[in-house]
Amino acid sequence: MTACDLYDMHCHLAFSPDARASAVAMRQERIGCFCATVTPDEYRLAQLDMADELSRNDNLKLGVGLHPWWLSDGSCGSDAVDKLLSAISQTRFVGEIGLDFAPRRAESAQAQRTAFARIAAASRGKVLSVHAVKSANVALDLMENVGLVSPGVPRGAESADDTAVIFHWFSGTGNELARAIDCGCYFSINPRMLSTKRGRAYVQQIPESKLLLESDLPPAAGETFSAQEVRSLLESSVDRIAELRGCRFDALQETIANNSRALIQG
């Protein structure tokens, strides 16, 4: 098995024209992956497309997801939630899931809440990649209600039930960040988060043991990207985070890789 020195903890390999080839390229570039999907149907297709790579590569994990955008626009309904719940019982990785209460998606807020509550209730012992736009407190409330998170209780590799909640590209308020940190959540950092003053401030506050990296690539279905591009992006993120936190690049890269490895291989 190829040793990985970097992990992309939120990518969308299933968006690639050839998901298997993209997965192979990431392995050859020594990048481990948490590959998120946006619907249960996409997850099933990705399982088939990447079957041989998933069986041989312990550093590649495929998450079953139901993105709130697909709920918001009506592409997916309660039947998709049912499919998701069935798939969750057969995998440890769940994502991309969550809530998006941005103004253009506000009308679907209740449907999103209902779906996310059902998903959270089925996700004990899982590794979750959570999308939360203008909704971090609501997401934390719903997860706390079913025991996925709890203030002051260790999570992830340190938890008794192996539950780990990762906030993908966190954009909530400072108080929401503090609450998520207290609940033991992880945070996957991408360049767009590092491009904002708030994001850079948050990166300095997150405990080192909860820092992860992500590319969020490709950005849309059918778009291409290269594993070399991902490596450059992730290394640049480590460099910027190290600068912000006043620490050494190599030590920080190793710590973040260890954080990721514990979730991927735990």
Side-chain angles (χ1 to χ4, degrees):
M1 177 55 57
T2 302
C4 294
D5 60 336
L6 288 168
Y7 287 81
D8 187 344
M9 294 298 286
H10 189 100
C11 58
H12 290 282
L13 302 186
F15 281 175
S16 304
D18 188 334
R20 179 188 177 279
S22 292
V24 170
M26 294 288 264
R27 169 170 52 82
Q28 292 173 340
E29 197 61 35
R30 307 190 323 281
I31 301 172
C33 299
F34 179 169
C35 173
T37 57
V38 296
T39 70
D41 288 343
E42 183 192 51
Y43 171 74
R44 292 298 185 195
L45 289 173
Q47 274 189 312
L48 295 173
D49 290 344
M50 296 192 289
D52 60 339
E53 190 63 19
L54 286 164
S55 67
R56 68 175 292 183
N57 185 356
D58 288 341
N59 292 303
L60 172 66
K61 302 301 179 184
L62 182 65
V64 59
L66 180 53
H67 197 295
W69 292 357
W70 274 254
L71 285 167
S72 178
D73 69 10
S75 299
C76 293
S78 59
D79 59 331
V81 180
D82 292 339
K83 288 182 183 179
L84 180 72
L85 297 181
S86 177
I88 284 175
S89 67
Q90 302 168 43
T91 182
R92 185 164 171 257
F93 293 84
V94 182
E96 182 171 0
I97 55 170
L99 302 168
D100 195 317
F101 294 169
R104 61 178 172 164
R105 306 186 197 282
E107 290 185 3
S108 66
Q110 188 53 54
Q112 291 184 50
R113 285 173 186 252
T114 300
F116 188 70
R118 292 181 65 197
I119 295 164
S123 296
R124 288 290 293 272
K126 311 297 183 180
V127 179
L128 297 83
S129 187
V130 177
H131 172 116
V133 172
K134 298 188 180 301
S135 57
N137 265 336
V138 176
L140 287 165
D141 286 344
L142 292 172
M143 291 189 289
E144 192 170 338
N145 286 345
V146 296
L148 289 187
V149 299
S150 183
V153 176
R155 292 296 175 194
E158 305 141 2
S159 69
D161 64 4
D162 290 330
T163 302
V165 172
I166 305 167
F167 275 100
H168 142 65
W169 188 4
F170 188 84
S171 60
T173 67
N175 286 339
E176 288 171 330
L177 175 70
R179 181 183 176 191
I181 289 172
D182 189 40
C183 286
C185 298
Y186 291 78
F187 303 84
S188 52
I189 312 301
N190 64 30
R192 284 168 292 185
M193 187 171 173
L194 291 167
S195 72
T196 68
K197 182 178 179 180
R198 174 186 284 186
R200 291 190 295 273
Y202 286 177
V203 161
Q204 296 176 70
Q205 298 171 47
I206 295 168
E208 192 174 79
S209 63
K210 300 299 182 180
L211 281 171
L212 306 170
L213 303 173
E214 65 163 76
S215 72
D216 205 17
L217 292 176
E223 295 199 21
T224 60
F225 77 115
S226 72
Q228 293 81 5
E229 175 187 1
V230 173
R231 171 165 283 278
S232 177
L233 180 154
L234 297 178
E235 288 179 341
S236 294
S237 293
V238 176
D239 189 52
R240 186 68 174 113
I241 296 168
E243 178 185 356
L244 290 166
R245 295 174 69 95
C247 60
R248 288 170 38 204
F249 173 94
D250 55 348
L252 182 63
Q253 179 172 315
E254 182 176 1
T255 295
I256 295 176
N258 287 337
N259 296 344
S260 306
R261 193 176 296 115
L263 298 179
I264 291 287
Q265 299 183 356

